[in-house]
Amino acid sequence: MSDLVYAWLGDTPVPYHQGWDLQKRLHQSRVADEVADTVLFLEHEPVYTAGKRTGRWDRPITDPGAPVVDIDRGGKITWHGPGQLTVYPIVKLPDPIDVIAYVRMLEEAIIRTLADYGLTGRRVEGRTGVWLDADPERGLTERKIAAIGCRIARGVGMHGLALNCDNDMSWFDRIVPCGISDAGVTSLTNELGRAVTVTDARPRLERHLADVLGAAEYSHTDGSGMLSDATALG
């Protein structure tokens, strides 16, 4: 069996609750050692997800045009939707559990993926996710290109990361993304001046994620059937 299994959920954006239900079923199966470490790759239908630290002032003031879902991960509010590569690693962490080290692994996978495109991603003290430095010559502030929000339960991870590829950035204008009001949000497409799709970014992120998680090898499975068929997890 491969150390890591990647499941692509298909080209059709996934409703958030459908993806969340799948995460929970898969999490139970991984806790019981019924499946290998499995990473879900998908695009969501437009949705705002509010983590446990979301404040009232972070939320949309008016109807944002997409549902706002309160969830059990850490962090604050963010957006998911078409053109954004969303990644849910359902993986068992080694004892003793080190959540911060796990988040650093996810950040590192994103930073290496950005480097493939000639971009320098970095961490910012006190802020989650991966950032690009301010570029005063281009009139750009410090900006976030990937968000991270995790939950570890019974030693197995849920939720994960989201990399902005060629999504509509105006969705972020309706919230205070991740509770940060003094910086911007960006995407691979915006930074490179050419379309960079989820399909293009996915194999690069797969390779780097396997490396940081210490997987000697990985395989792929068609995850589209998992959305409606719980037995597909066994």
Side-chain angles (χ1 to χ4, degrees):
M1 179 181 290
S2 297
D3 294 333
L4 197 61
V5 177
Y6 288 121
W8 169 240
L9 300 190
D11 297 329
T12 302
V14 176
Y16 187 78
H17 280 289
Q18 198 173 3
W20 194 8
D21 287 345
L22 173 58
Q23 280 195 76
K24 289 182 279 190
R25 296 199 310 264
L26 184 57
H27 180 272
Q28 291 175 351
S29 295
R30 185 65 191 99
V31 167
D33 286 325
E34 296 170 350
V35 297
D37 285 339
T38 303
V39 182
L40 304 176
F41 279 80
L42 65 150
E43 295 175 72
H44 273 303
E45 291 183 354
V47 63
Y48 294 96
T49 62
K52 291 182 288 186
R53 294 180 54 242
T54 302
R56 178 174 53 84
W57 51 88
D58 300 320
R59 297 173 180 267
I61 298 174
T62 59
D63 181 3
V68 179
V69 180
D70 290 283
I71 60 173
D72 57 357
R73 63 162 170 79
K76 296 191 176 185
I77 194 168
T78 193
W79 174 87
H80 299 301
Q84 182 191 73
L85 178 55
T86 301
V87 183
Y88 298 135
I90 314 299
V91 299
K92 184 168 289 189
L93 304 184
D95 287 325
I97 303 295
D98 188 335
V99 177
I100 293 176
Y102 176 61
V103 170
R104 295 292 174 264
M105 290 179 186
L106 300 183
E107 292 171 343
E108 182 62 25
I110 297 166
I111 289 169
R112 294 182 189 183
T113 300
L114 296 180
D116 287 346
Y117 291 100
L119 297 174
T120 302
R122 68 180 185 90
R123 302 172 178 91
V124 174
E125 184 71 26
R127 293 178 169 177
T128 61
V130 177
W131 297 76
L132 301 180
D133 283 331
D135 188 344
E137 292 185 2
R138 295 170 59 199
L140 297 174
T141 62
E142 186 178 63
R143 54 219 182 276
K144 190 173 193 175
I145 196 167
I148 294 176
C150 303
R151 177 178 182 235
I152 310 299
R154 300 174 67 188
V156 175
M158 292 181 68
H159 304 291
L161 63 93
L163 173 63
N164 296 328
C165 295
D166 63 344
N167 42 298
D168 178 356
M169 303 304 295
S170 69
W171 287 101
F172 291 102
D173 297 338
R174 306 167 201 186
I175 58 170
V176 180
C178 301
I180 296 166
S181 58
D182 60 346
V185 185
T186 191
S187 67
L188 287 170
T189 292
N190 280 4
E191 294 299 321
L192 297 173
R194 61 179 176 84
V196 179
T197 65
V198 165
T199 299
D200 183 71
R202 180 162 54 95
R204 301 168 190 262
L205 186 53
E206 284 180 353
R207 183 174 71 254
H208 296 306
L209 187 59
D211 286 344
V212 300
L213 292 176
E217 59 179 294
Y218 58 88
S219 61
H220 296 86
T221 187
D222 179 5
S224 57
M226 292 181 178
L227 291 168
S228 57
D229 183 6
T231 63
L233 302 179

